Amino acid sequence: MAPSILDLAPVVPVVVLQDASDAVPLARALVAGGLPAIEVTLRTPVALDAIRAIAGEVPEAVVGAGTVITPDQVTETVAAGARFLVSPGWTDVLLAAMQASGVPFLPGVSTTSEVVALLERGVTEMKFFPAEAAGGTAYLRSLAGPLPQARFCPTGGIGPENAPQYLSLPNVGCVGGTWMLPADAIAARDWGRVEALAREAAELKLRLETLRAQV
């Protein structure tokens, strides 16, 4: 059974690439910084090429596809080498395609009813999106009591300031974010800066655990 994507690292970088040639050095920088799970979103025309390049040249990375909204995208991204799938929302048709893909997936939810509907279908791991706009940590904390079997990767409006609050919740395995991928660093191909920011993000949960132990 494939390991849970929620347990690979405390942060999943959400990557939007404009140039496929940046994919491999960017992925190497993220992995070197301690963030092996990399979500490449299907928001640009080069996304499939980027996934293919990372899958082929950075084997230590666990590359996934984000913003997956159609069954065709499921097929295309898995064929390109995606090892997990992330959607901003879900329908029965999309869910069936993701379940048939053979790779782990995180369907997006933003309401209690959507969570319950997925639990009915045997899905316990989900993306909570857009996290801050949909209620943030208070909302997720309120779900932990009645729905403890559901685990989440919150994404949307999360940065280094509020990520620790999300990661402290019992039903959050990791968070998704872009703060370790500043646009100016990508434009300058400053992979050393990306690696340093990734390392800081990777240490968030460790620092949180240390603080808990001191309480």
Side-chain angles (χ1 to χ4, degrees):
M1 187 175 183
S4 169
I5 205 68
L6 298 183
D7 298 325
L8 290 177
V11 180
V12 176
V14 179
V15 177
V16 182
L17 283 172
Q18 305 296 333
D19 188 337
S21 67
D22 291 335
V24 168
L26 177 64
R28 286 177 176 153
L30 292 171
V31 170
L35 300 181
I38 302 169
E39 176 188 337
V40 177
T41 69
L42 302 183
R43 299 182 194 177
T44 66
V46 306
L48 281 177
D49 287 337
I51 291 169
R52 194 174 293 112
I54 295 170
E57 298 184 47
V58 194
E60 61 271 35
V62 181
V63 63
T67 322
V68 176
I69 58 173
T70 70
D72 284 346
Q73 288 177 333
V74 171
T75 303
E76 292 167 351
T77 54
V78 172
R83 294 169 60 184
F84 67 93
L85 306 170
V86 183
S87 70
W90 66 277
T91 65
D92 282 322
V93 171
L94 179 59
L95 184 65
M98 291 194 291
Q99 288 175 317
S101 71
V103 301
F105 57 91
L106 297 173
V109 298
S110 60
T111 70
T112 307
S113 294
E114 290 170 327
V115 176
V116 172
L118 283 176
L119 291 175
E120 280 186 352
R121 290 159 174 78
V123 178
T124 59
E125 298 187 344
M126 313 165 196
K127 171 180 177 173
F128 180 60
F129 176 82
E132 283 289 280
T137 54
Y139 195 97
L140 285 170
R141 188 179 295 109
S142 71
L143 294 181
L147 303 171
Q149 63 273 54
R151 296 181 72 214
F152 301 95
C153 173
T155 305
I158 298 177
E161 301 82 10
N162 59 358
Q165 284 72 53
Y166 281 94
L167 292 169
S168 70
L169 299 175
N171 54 353
V172 169
C174 63
V175 299
T178 61
W179 73 87
M180 72 298 300
L181 303 164
D184 59 339
I186 304 299
R189 294 180 167 84
D190 187 351
W191 309 127
R193 183 179 171 202
V194 171
E195 179 181 337
L197 290 169
R199 184 169 290 108
E200 291 176 5
E203 292 171 354
L204 280 174
K205 202 157 193 173
L206 179 61
R207 291 205 301 268
L208 189 64
E209 291 168 355
T210 301
L211 287 171
R212 281 177 176 164
Q214 293 172 347
V215 174

